C-alpha cells in the first residue's frame, strides 16, 4: 500500500521570514491540529484546513461541540506533536487503493475530496510521522528549536491527510510557543448552507513567540477599538435586526458627525472644481440592462419591483445616473472635463453571514464622482483626484497609503490605443504625485485600468478606501459623445472615483482609528460644562448659549450628579473638553478646563477657552 514514500525535496526548504514559508508553516499547523483532534476525539471526521492571513483553520464534523477546555487540551497535544519533531512525508498513491482505504476509515469528506481530484492528476497524501519503519522516525532533520522531545508521543505516532501540499519538512520547524488556538465557529461543508454543519477551529501561527505576542496584543487593541462596541457605547449608530441586517441607523451623535463629514466633503469638492448631483435611488430596470449591471452584477442586486407594469430596480451603483445626466444634452469639447460628485446611497445584496458592523452592509452611501473628459485630459484629472484624495484623507488623520495600479486583464473591452493611453495616464499621474505604488499586471477590470489606495490606521492596519477607475465600457454602452473641435462626434473618457469608498465604512474606520477619541472638529460634543451645584447652572447655561451661537457643540451636564460622577460620565463618553463651573468660577467669570489629551488646563476665561478650541479645530487635532 505504501507505494512511493519520499523524503521531502531539498528545494522545499526556505529561510525564515519568507512569506511562502510562513504560509506553509500555518497550513502545516492545520494538519497538526487535525492530528491532535483525531488523537483526542477519534469520532471526529476531518475535512479541510487551509492557512489564513494570520494563521490557519480546520473544519471538523463532530456531533458534540468543542469547548474552551477541549481547545486547551488540543493545543497541548499539538505542542506534543511539534516537540516530537515528526517528519512530514509526501506519498503519491493509487486512487482506487486509497478509495478502499478511506471507505474503511469512514471519512466521507476525504472520499469526496478524493473524487474531486481530476482524473489523471496525481493523488498525494501527507503523513505526519512516518508509517514506514525503514525511514527515520523523527529528530532528523533536527528540530529548529531546542525543546525536549516527549518520551512517548503516542497514542498515534502518525497520521495522514489527503492534500496537495506544500508543508514544512518536520513538525519541529514550528515553534511550540509561536502558535495558539483562538476560537470555534460554525461553518458548512463546501461553504454551502444545505450541506452538513461543521465546527471550524481557528488558530494563529507565527515564526517566533515575539511575533505571536505582538499579534495577540494587536488583536486585543483591535477589540478595544471595535467600532461596533464603541458605536454602542458612544451611542453613534445601531443596526436593528428588526429592520434587517446590514441597514444602518445613525443616532444623533453619529448623525452629527456624518453631517460634519458630508459638509467637509461637499466643500472640498466644490473648491476642487466639482459640481454636485442628486439622483434617484430607484430606476427602470431597462437602465440596468443597458449598463450591463443586470447581466454582470445581478447577484449583488436586490430583486426588482413592479410599478405600473414596469420593472424598477433599487440602485446598486450611481454611475448610470450620472451617465444619463451627461446624456441629457449634447456637450462640446469646450465644456470638458465635467466633474460630478454625489453622496449616492446604494443598496447591494450581501449574504447575511458576511455582514459586519459598518464594514459590510446592505445599504450605504458612496462618496461617488464621475469625471467625463477628453483623452488628453486624463493625466491631469487623475493627478487632481490624487491630490484631492491626499488632502481629504490627511485632514481625517490618514497620511500613510499603500497604492496599487491594476492593468489590462486578458479579457477586456476597448481598443489597445485607449488602454495604453489610460494606463500611461495613470502611471504619469502617480509619478507626478511622487507616490510609490505596486503594479498588479492584468489585475484591472475588463473595462479599464484603476488605482486603489489603502490607508494605514493608528495601529498599522490597512483599509481599502479610495479607487480611481477609468471606464471604456459605459460610454460605449450608452453611446456617449461630445462634439470635437472639428465638429465630429467623439467618445469621452469616463473616470469613476471614490475617496472614502462608503461613508458607513469610512466612519467605522474613523471610530477604530481614533478609538472613539475624535479630533475636536469631528467630536459630536466638543465641550461639556459641569456645574458643581444648581447655584452655577444659570452661569453654565449662559456660557453654553454664547458658545453654541458661535457654532461650538456644547452641552451642560443636567444630571444633578456629584462633580466626580459628572467627570467620570464625560470621560466615558470621551468628551474632548470639560469645564467645571463652581462658585469661584462664577465669581471670577472663568471656567476650570480639562482636556482629554492634556488634562488640567487651569482656569480660563471664555476668550481663552475659545482660543484653545478654535486652534484645535483649525489644526484638526485632538485636545
Ligand atoms: Zn496540507
Ligand atoms: Zn461609477
Amino acid at each position: 500500500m505504501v507505494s512511493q514514500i519520499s523524503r521531502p525535496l531539498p528545494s522545499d526548504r526556505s529561510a525564515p521570514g519568507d512569506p511562502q514559508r510562513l504560509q506553509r508553516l500555518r497550513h502545516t499547523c492545520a494538519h497538526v491540529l487535525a492530528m491532535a483532534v483525531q488523537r483526542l476525539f477519534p469520532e471526529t471526521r476531518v475535512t479541510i484546513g487551509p492557512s489564513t492571513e494570520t494563521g490557519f483553520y480546520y473544519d471538523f464534523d463532530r456531533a458534540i461541540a468543542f469547548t474552551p477546555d477541549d481547545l486547551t487540551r488540543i493545543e497541548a497535544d499539538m505542542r506534543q506533536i511539534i516537540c516530537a519533531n515528526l517528519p512530514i512525508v509526501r506519498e503519491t498513491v493509487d486512487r482506487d487503493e486509497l478509495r478502499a482505504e478511506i471507505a474503511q476509515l469512514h471519512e466521507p469528506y476525504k472520499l469526496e475530496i478524493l473524487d474531486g481530484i481530476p482524473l489523471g492528476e496525481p493523488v498525494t497524501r501527507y503523513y505526519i510521522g512516518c508509517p514506514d519503519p525503514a525511514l527515520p522516525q523523527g529528530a532528523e532533520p533536527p528540530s529548529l528549536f531546542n525543546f525536549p522531545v516527549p518520551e512517548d508521543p503516542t497514542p498515534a505516532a502518525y497520521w495522514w491527510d489527503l492534500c496537495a501540499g506544500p508543508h514544512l519538512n518536520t513538525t519541529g520547524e514550528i515553534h511550540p510557543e509561536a502558535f495558539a488556538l483562538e476560537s470555534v465557529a460554525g461553518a458548512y461543508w463546501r461553504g454551502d448552507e444545505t450541506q452538513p454543519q461543521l465546527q471550524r477551529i481557528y488558530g494563529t501561527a507565527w515564526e517566533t513567540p515575539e511575533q505571536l505576542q505582538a499579534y495577540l496584543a494587536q488583536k486585543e487593541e483591535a477589540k478595544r477599538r471595535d467600532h461596533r462596541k464603541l458605536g454602542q457605547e458612544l451611542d453613534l449608530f445601531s443596526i436593528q435586526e428588526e429592520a434587517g441586517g446590514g441597514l444602518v441607523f445613525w443616532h444623533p451623535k453619529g448623525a452629527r458627525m456624518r453631517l460634519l463629514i458630508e459638509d467637509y466633503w461637499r466643500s472640498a469638492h466644490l473648491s476642487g472644481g466639482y459640481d454636485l448631483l442628486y439622483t434617484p435611488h430607484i430606476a427602470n430596470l431597462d437602465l440596468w440592462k443597458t449598463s450591463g449591471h443586470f447581466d454582470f452584477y445581478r447577484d449583488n442586486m436586490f430583486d426588482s419591483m413592479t410599478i405600473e407594469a414596469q420593472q424598477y430596480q433599487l440602485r446598486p451603483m450611481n454611475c448610470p445616473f450620472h451617465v444619463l445626466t451627461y446624456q441629457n444634452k449634447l456637450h462640446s469639447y469646450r465644456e470638458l472635463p465635467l466633474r460630478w460628485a454625489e453622496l449616492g446611497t446604494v443598496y447591494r445584496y450581501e449574504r447575511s453571514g458576511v455582514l459586519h458592523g459598518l464594514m459590510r452592509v446592505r445599504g450605504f452611501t458612496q462618496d461617488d464622482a464621475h469625471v467625463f473628459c477628453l483623452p488628453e485630459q486624463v493625466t491631469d484629472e487623475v493627478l487632481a483626484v490624487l491630490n484631492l484624495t491626499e488632502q481629504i484623507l490627511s485632514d481625517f488623520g490618514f497620511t500613510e497609503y499603500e497604492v496599487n495600479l491594476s492593468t489590462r486583464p486578458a479579457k477586456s473591452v476597448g481598443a489597445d490605443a485607449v488602454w495604453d493611453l489610460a494606463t500611461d495616464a495613470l502611471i504619469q499621474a502617480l509619478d507626478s504625485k511622487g507616490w510609490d505604488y505596486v503594479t498588479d499586471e492584468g489585475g484591472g477590470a475588463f473595462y479599464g485600468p484603476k488605482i486603489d489606495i489603502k490607508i494605514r490606521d493608528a495601529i498599522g492596519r490597512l483599509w481599502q478606501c479610495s479607487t480611481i477607475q477609468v471606464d471604456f465600457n459605459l460610454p460605449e454602452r450608452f453611446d456617449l459623445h461630445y462634439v470635437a473641435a472639428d465638429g465630429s462626434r467623439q467618445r469621452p473618457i469616463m473616470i469613476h472615483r471614490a475617496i472614502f469608498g462608503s461613508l458607513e465604512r469610512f466612519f467605522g474606520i474613523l471610530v477604530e482609528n481614533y478609538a472613539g477619541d475624535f479630533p475636536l472638529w469631528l467630536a459630536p460634543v466638543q465641550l461639556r460644562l459641569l456645574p458643581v451645584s444648581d447655584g452655577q447652572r444659570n452661569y453654565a447655561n449662559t456660557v453654553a448659549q454664547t458658545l453654541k451661537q458661535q457654532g461650538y457643540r456644547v452641552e451642560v451636564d443636567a444630571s444633578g450628579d456629584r462633580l466626580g460622577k459628572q467627570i467620570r460620565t464625560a470621560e466615558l463618553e470621551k468628551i474632548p473638553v470639560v469645564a467645571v463651573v463652581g462658585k469661584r468660577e462664577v465669581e471670577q467669570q472663568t471656567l476650570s478646563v480639562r482636556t482629554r489629551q492634556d488634562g488640567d488646563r487651569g482656569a480660563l476665561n471664555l476668550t481663552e477657552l475659545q482660543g484653545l478650541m478654535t486652534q484645535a479645530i483649525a489644526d484638526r487635532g485632538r485636545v
Side-chain angles (χ1 to χ4, degrees):
M1 187 273 303
V2 175
S3 50
Q4 248 186 284
I5 290 201
S6 61
R7 298 296 314 180
L9 301 169
S11 62
D12 281 2
R13 282 207 173 278
S14 54
D18 168 6
Q20 284 183 354
R21 181 181 186 277
L22 186 57
Q23 212 178 331
R24 284 210 299 277
L25 183 152
R26 287 171 173 163
H27 173 61
T28 304
C29 279
H31 280 253
V32 174
L33 164 62
M35 178 175 182
V37 166
Q38 287 204 316
R39 296 210 305 182
L40 295 168
F41 310 99
E43 76 283 10
T44 308
R45 304 282 70 113
V46 293
T47 65
I48 54 156
S51 64
T52 66
E53 267 176 43
T54 55
F56 57 94
Y57 69 77
Y58 203 108
D59 287 346
F60 298 100
D61 187 354
R62 179 175 180 242
I64 307 159
F66 290 110
T67 64
D69 279 351
D70 292 340
L71 290 198
T72 309
R73 284 181 63 203
I74 295 165
E75 207 179 280
D77 198 55
M78 286 175 72
R79 219 156 263 132
Q80 292 269 314
I81 294 165
I82 289 167
C83 293
N85 194 23
L86 301 173
I88 296 165
V89 184
R90 179 174 182 269
E91 184 196 19
T92 308
V93 278
D94 177 81
R95 190 182 284 263
D96 293 329
E97 278 179 26
L98 189 63
R99 183 177 292 109
E101 188 185 336
I102 295 174
Q104 276 199 337
L105 291 172
H106 304 294
E107 288 279 9
Y109 304 100
K110 266 188 185 170
L111 208 54
E112 218 181 298
I113 293 166
L114 176 67
D115 290 338
I117 301 172
L119 287 174
E121 251 179 50
V123 177
T124 57
R125 65 169 146 191
Y126 278 83
Y127 281 95
I128 294 179
C130 187
D132 183 346
L135 287 169
Q137 296 292 304
E140 212 273 320
S143 165
L144 294 184
F145 311 103
N146 288 324
F147 279 87
V149 175
E151 304 224 325
D152 179 17
T154 50
Y158 68 87
W159 180 89
W160 65 267
D161 205 357
L162 204 54
C163 189
H167 308 90
L168 299 177
N169 297 328
T170 70
T171 58
E173 289 178 44
I174 302 165
H175 195 297
E177 302 301 331
F179 81 96
L181 295 183
E182 297 185 283
S183 59
V184 189
Y188 292 96
W189 172 234
R190 304 265 191 222
D192 178 348
E193 283 154 43
T194 63
Q195 296 276 347
Q197 200 177 358
L198 307 170
Q199 298 185 66
R200 176 170 299 176
I201 299 183
Y202 284 99
T204 184
W206 301 84
E207 296 201 344
T208 66
E210 293 73 30
Q211 288 170 355
L212 173 67
Q213 289 314 315
Y215 163 78
L216 293 175
Q218 168 94 348
K219 196 173 136 188
E220 207 43 51
E221 184 57 32
K223 215 157 124 191
R224 189 177 77 80
R225 292 167 180 262
D226 191 321
H227 72 282
R228 295 166 300 177
K229 173 177 153 278
L230 286 171
Q232 192 169 19
E233 285 170 11
L234 302 176
D235 198 13
L236 300 172
F237 71 90
S238 62
I239 289 166
Q240 316 253 357
E241 285 314 315
E242 207 180 327
L247 301 170
V248 182
F249 289 71
W250 295 74
H251 296 195
K253 284 182 180 162
R256 189 66 211 247
M257 292 184 68
R258 173 166 170 163
L259 183 66
L260 290 160
I261 296 167
E262 289 189 2
D263 284 349
Y264 168 90
W265 184 92
R266 284 194 190 94
S267 97
H269 279 74
L270 289 172
S271 38
Y274 285 76
D275 287 306
L276 301 180
L277 301 186
Y278 293 93
T279 60
H281 289 209
I282 65 167
N284 196 302
L285 186 61
D286 288 344
L287 181 63
W288 304 102
K289 288 181 179 163
T290 307
S291 72
H293 289 102
F294 186 72
D295 288 330
F296 299 111
Y297 202 68
R298 204 172 173 179
D299 290 349
N300 286 88
M301 287 159 61
F302 283 101
D303 285 344
S304 58
M305 57 193 114
T306 309
I307 299 172
E308 294 179 346
Q310 298 277 314
Q311 293 299 105
Y312 277 73
Q313 176 65 46
L314 207 48
R315 71 171 166 192
M317 295 200 184
N318 307 302
C319 329
F321 294 73
H322 292 197
V323 168
L324 283 195
T325 313
Y326 180 91
Q327 232 180 4
N328 195 45
K329 76 180 247 259
L330 187 58
H331 296 278
S332 152
Y333 72 98
R334 287 195 186 87
E335 294 169 61
L336 304 184
L338 287 169
R339 307 182 193 97
W340 289 342
E342 177 178 10
L343 292 168
T345 303
V346 297
Y347 296 89
R348 294 183 187 172
Y349 170 71
E350 299 268 14
R351 284 186 303 111
S352 51
V354 302
L355 297 173
H356 179 83
L358 297 178
M359 301 303 181
R360 198 100 179 242
V361 291
R362 284 177 174 161
F364 56 95
T365 300
Q366 291 182 302
D367 67 319
D368 211 353
H370 297 93
V371 178
F372 300 92
C373 66
L374 306 174
E376 60 268 31
Q377 293 171 333
V378 178
T379 303
D380 286 348
E381 287 308 305
V382 172
L383 181 58
V385 172
L386 295 178
N387 285 331
L388 184 64
T389 302
E390 183 182 37
Q391 176 201 326
I392 291 180
L393 293 177
S394 51
D395 277 349
F396 283 92
F398 301 103
T399 52
E400 275 186 58
Y401 317 118
E402 202 178 277
V403 183
N404 271 282
L405 169 70
S406 304
T407 60
R408 189 176 192 171
K411 272 193 184 168
S412 59
V413 299
D416 290 359
V418 191
W419 271 93
D420 290 347
L421 179 140
T423 310
D424 287 349
L426 295 186
I427 292 170
Q428 268 186 44
L430 283 167
D431 288 345
S432 313
K433 185 74 198 137
W435 279 355
D436 288 337
Y437 60 93
V438 174
T439 305
D440 179 6
E441 292 291 350
F446 73 90
Y447 49 84
K450 67 167 175 173
I451 295 171
D452 288 310
I453 300 166
K454 294 193 181 103
I455 57 176
R456 194 177 293 283
D457 75 5
I459 57 168
R461 294 173 300 178
L462 286 169
W463 303 91
Q464 167 61 46
C465 287
S466 321
T467 304
I468 305 163
Q469 168 81 60
V470 183
D471 184 351
F472 312 131
N473 185 44
L474 281 190
E476 201 69 36
R477 282 182 166 265
F478 281 91
D479 191 23
L480 298 187
H481 41 250
Y482 64 89
V483 181
D486 63 2
S488 65
R489 304 256 166 127
Q490 302 292 336
R491 271 272 182 267
I493 303 261
M494 182 177 181
I495 302 168
H496 311 251
R497 46 110 291 187
I499 292 174
F500 298 142
S502 100
L503 281 180
E504 283 74 7
R505 191 162 172 282
F506 189 73
F507 186 70
I509 296 167
L510 271 182
V511 172
E512 300 208 356
N513 181 61
Y514 287 110
D517 263 321
F518 300 110
L520 197 59
W521 76 283
L522 278 174
V525 177
Q526 295 170 312
L527 166 68
R528 183 175 288 168
L529 296 158
L530 315 179
V532 176
S533 71
D534 283 343
Q536 292 88 44
R537 201 164 290 281
N538 272 343
Y539 175 70
N541 284 334
T542 311
V543 171
Q545 205 48 44
T546 309
L547 288 170
K548 271 189 202 169
Q549 278 166 3
Q550 292 167 0
Y552 296 101
R553 300 184 287 281
V554 187
E555 285 180 356
V556 178
D557 189 315
S559 65
D561 288 336
R562 282 180 306 102
L563 181 61
K565 177 113 190 271
Q566 290 184 44
I567 291 173
R568 225 166 21 253
T569 307
E571 261 168 24
L572 285 174
E573 293 179 28
K574 302 183 193 271
I575 311 281
V577 187
V578 295
V580 175
V581 188
K583 247 189 205 157
R584 191 164 42 126
E585 284 79 11
V586 177
E587 276 165 26
Q588 298 176 348
Q589 299 284 293
T590 59
L591 301 150
S592 286
V593 176
R594 175 196 287 260
T595 63
R596 265 186 83 74
Q597 305 297 318
D598 302 321
D600 196 2
R601 299 289 193 106
L604 304 183
N605 65 33
L606 194 56
T607 315
E608 289 167 330
L609 176 62
Q610 284 165 338
L612 183 155
M613 289 175 58
T614 308
Q615 188 59 51
I617 290 167
D619 296 345
R620 302 193 189 280
R622 298 200 277 186
V623 285

